[in-house]
Amino acid sequence: EPVSIGGLRLKNRIALAPMGTGSILVDSEGKLGPRGVEYYLERCRGGVGLIISHASKVENENEALKTAAGFPVVTHAVEGPFAELADAAHAFGTKIFVQLSAGFGRTANPRILREKPVSASVNPNYWDPTIICREVTTEEVERLVKAFGPAAELLAECGIDGIELHGHEGYLFDQFTTAVWNRRTDKYGGELVDRLNFPIEVLQEIKRRVGKSFPVQYRFGLKHYMKGLRFGALPGEKYVEAGRDIEEGLEMARMLEEAGFD
């Protein structure tokens, strides 16, 4: 059955969720190669209503990656392949969203970085806890927010139908929205309503640049299933949730919807 996301009508409720491409589908500049375009088009031929692309960053300053192959950055270099993909997908009646990310944060492997890893607050790196991540400054967050606007505008001009923000799995957005990682004292830290300022400001910036009718959705996990920073919980295990619990996850969903996410 058809379904709508914001004002966008999808022909059915089958969607391809975003997945990391590694260096298989994108080149060193971060753009889809012929194999990458064909990978997505094969799903269009199968009748999928919505495809959400691999995650892409909007800048490479706060978190300087050595190469764009594993986590592409939206620049003019990606316009051609995304425009080709959107045009072909629309011929099959499939809609295309691009997942935009604020970056890895503490989950970045130090080997892929040019500089010290960053996070919402001073936190140990996921891969090497002896490396302590630098807290992103307020000014850096504000600059990152602004970077989402032109990235979304470029994608919309390519014919992309919507944006999904990469808010799950402990990446940088998730580090800002979750108290276990976010101990900030500026406007981006504190109670849940304040921790959501970062993604909500990004939403507002995208809508300002491409219009209120352009769909923007947010992906996050309802619950983290974490006993601690480096300890996951097993099914059926009794433990105290260190990350987001279901109650906060539901409250977060309500707040995001009220803020205007589609």
Side-chain angles (χ1 to χ4, degrees):
E1 295 180 356
V3 67
S4 294
I5 298 177
L8 184 72
R9 184 90 164 162
L10 304 181
K11 65 180 181 179
N12 60 43
R13 298 167 186 241
I14 302 172
L16 176 71
M19 292 174 282
T21 60
S23 58
I24 299 171
L25 303 185
V26 299
D27 63 17
S28 59
E29 288 185 286
K31 65 176 183 288
L32 283 168
R35 186 179 180 186
V37 173
E38 178 61 24
Y39 171 81
Y40 288 123
L41 288 183
E42 185 65 15
R43 277 74 196 161
C44 297
R45 296 185 190 102
V48 168
L50 172 66
I51 286 176
I52 307 171
S53 79
H54 53 282
S56 297
K57 293 181 65 181
V58 297
E59 56 86 55
N60 196 33
E61 294 181 33
N62 287 351
E63 179 182 76
L65 304 180
K66 292 178 180 177
T67 174
F71 211 149
V73 181
V74 175
T75 66
H76 287 288
V78 308
E79 282 183 287
F82 269 132
E84 178 186 350
L85 174 60
D87 190 47
H90 293 159
F92 290 99
T94 302
K95 305 300 184 184
I96 301 279
F97 283 16
V98 170
Q99 190 184 63
L100 291 182
S101 177
F104 285 104
R106 68 179 291 270
T107 66
N109 191 317
R111 292 181 298 178
I112 69 172
L113 300 175
R114 294 186 191 138
E115 300 169 0
K116 189 174 184 178
V118 299
S119 185
S121 296
V122 175
N123 289 306
N125 177 260
Y126 174 80
W127 297 99
D128 184 353
T130 66
I131 297 176
I132 304 302
C133 301
R134 175 180 67 82
E135 179 176 296
V136 183
T137 69
T138 305
E139 293 73 22
E140 286 173 329
V141 181
E142 291 172 342
R143 188 173 70 233
L144 187 51
V145 168
K146 290 294 182 184
F148 277 85
E153 197 170 47
L154 184 151
L155 292 169
E157 290 172 355
C158 292
I160 297 299
D161 301 293
I163 297 296
E164 177 176 274
L165 295 189
H166 180 235
H168 71 301
E169 209 178 26
Y171 285 75
L172 193 57
F173 270 132
D174 206 15
Q175 290 163 46
F176 269 83
T177 59
T178 310
V180 70
W181 295 305
N182 185 341
R183 300 175 300 284
R184 303 175 69 93
T185 56
D186 64 358
K187 64 178 178 177
Y188 298 111
E191 298 299 319
L192 178 61
V193 64
D194 302 307
R195 301 197 304 273
L196 293 180
N197 276 336
F198 182 21
I200 288 173
E201 285 183 7
V202 169
L203 165 72
Q204 293 167 344
E205 179 65 18
I206 293 174
K207 295 279 190 177
R208 184 180 71 82
R209 293 293 291 260
V210 295
K212 293 183 178 179
S213 63
F214 189 76
V216 182
Q217 61 186 27
Y218 190 81
R219 184 179 188 184
F220 75 101
L222 186 67
K223 183 176 179 176
H224 277 121
Y225 296 95
M226 288 168 49
K227 293 186 287 185
L229 279 180
R230 297 179 61 79
F231 300 97
L234 297 173
E237 183 179 5
K238 291 184 178 180
Y239 70 101
V240 176
E241 177 63 54
R244 180 184 306 116
D245 59 20
I246 290 176
E247 183 179 0
E248 184 177 76
L250 293 173
E251 181 62 20
M252 183 171 165
R254 286 188 286 268
M255 289 179 172
L256 292 171
E257 184 178 22
E258 290 170 4
F261 278 98
D262 299 299

